Amino acid sequence: MDDMTQRHKRKMEKKKVAKDKIMATKTLTKGLIIVHTGKGKGKSSAAFGMVFRCIAHDMPCAVVQFIKGGMKTGERDLIQEHFSAICQFYTMGEGFTWETQDRERDIDMAQAAWKKAQELILSARLRLVLLDEINIAIRYGYLDEDEICAFLSDCKPDDTHVILTGRNAGKKLLNIADLATEMTLLSHPFRSGVKAQIGIEF
């Protein structure tokens, strides 16, 4: 074994001891409030990764989409066609707000989606609920951030995970989050005239 290999081995041995010591202190389990926000792509995609992880572990879960409408998406088709027994899926928006151009109807749809979300979160069966693009509904004033934060803080079962996605997550929501991630935009194909593509955006 040469000197470089030996130094690397000693360094990794020390690192393992330190990491094992840290990991030994992490003993709690709890249902998390998870927020994916920011201008970069990948917020919903990361959340659906967690949904599929739950499916793989036979953990019942659910999805409520607050903005997306009837447009076909790969994740919804896959879940509804192959995993509907373990993952409930509700698309309750009618598309982006600039497409609908009807604020009152958007508010009604968002309120109905939030009512369904509360029902799912309170379900004793479900382990994870994804509230896809709910942050957008909050930002536009369709939903009350205080009400949502109070519900998640006071009513969410201890072992239920809830993921909230969308740009511009509110400060109050971020304050109660156990895990919050901001997706930072570095580059985007739209800037080069590339349209949304199957397998990437939907």
Side-chain angles (χ1 to χ4, degrees):
M1 188 181 296
D2 59 33
D3 288 345
M4 184 177 292
T5 302
Q6 288 178 341
R7 285 196 300 273
H8 176 77
K9 186 173 187 300
R10 288 194 296 269
K11 183 178 179 181
M12 292 303 109
E13 286 172 345
K14 290 180 180 178
K15 191 168 188 176
K16 176 173 168 47
V17 170
K19 292 289 185 182
D20 288 347
K21 187 175 181 180
I22 292 171
M23 292 302 294
T25 67
K26 314 302 179 187
T27 58
L28 302 177
T29 59
K30 61 173 289 192
L32 302 177
I33 298 171
I34 301 168
V35 177
H36 293 174
T37 193
K39 294 182 178 180
K41 285 183 60 57
K43 297 176 287 293
S44 294
S45 298
F48 275 107
M50 292 185 184
V51 169
F52 284 113
R53 188 174 288 156
C54 285
I55 290 171
H57 288 293
D58 292 321
M59 294 168 58
C61 50
V63 177
V64 179
Q65 292 189 309
F66 281 76
I67 301 296
K68 293 186 177 79
M71 174 182 167
K72 286 176 66 67
T73 64
E75 56 268 24
R76 185 171 70 222
D77 289 350
L78 181 63
I79 288 171
Q80 290 182 332
E81 290 174 17
H82 299 284
F83 303 110
S84 60
I86 196 167
C87 183
Q88 302 176 49
F89 207 117
Y90 301 91
T91 298
M92 302 188 69
E94 292 190 324
F96 295 105
T97 53
W98 59 85
E99 295 285 356
T100 61
Q101 300 177 13
D102 187 339
R103 178 175 171 78
E104 292 306 315
R105 186 166 177 80
D106 287 343
I107 290 172
D108 289 343
M109 297 294 288
Q111 292 286 340
W114 172 235
K115 184 176 180 181
K116 171 57 71 174
Q118 291 176 82
E119 173 191 322
L120 294 167
I121 292 168
L122 292 174
S123 169
R125 178 173 179 265
L126 299 178
R127 295 293 309 282
L128 179 144
V129 180
L130 165 57
L131 310 181
D132 192 31
E133 295 184 330
I134 188 174
N135 296 339
I136 297 172
I138 295 171
R139 183 185 181 219
Y140 282 121
Y142 301 166
L143 299 173
D144 183 79
E145 184 178 3
D146 288 331
E147 177 188 345
I148 291 168
C149 289
F151 178 84
L152 293 175
S153 297
D154 301 335
C155 304
K156 182 185 75 64
D158 291 339
D159 60 351
T160 301
H161 306 296
V162 178
I163 311 174
L164 305 95
T165 72
R167 292 185 178 203
N168 303 113
K171 290 182 180 179
K172 294 175 182 176
L173 183 58
L174 292 174
N175 284 339
I176 68 165
D178 298 290
L179 172 62
T181 301
E182 182 174 10
M183 310 296 188
T184 302
L185 176 62
L186 299 179
S187 61
H188 199 296
F190 283 10
R191 292 175 174 175
S192 302
V194 180
K195 68 179 183 178
Q197 299 181 86
I198 190 169
I200 302 299
E201 275 81 17
F202 58 93

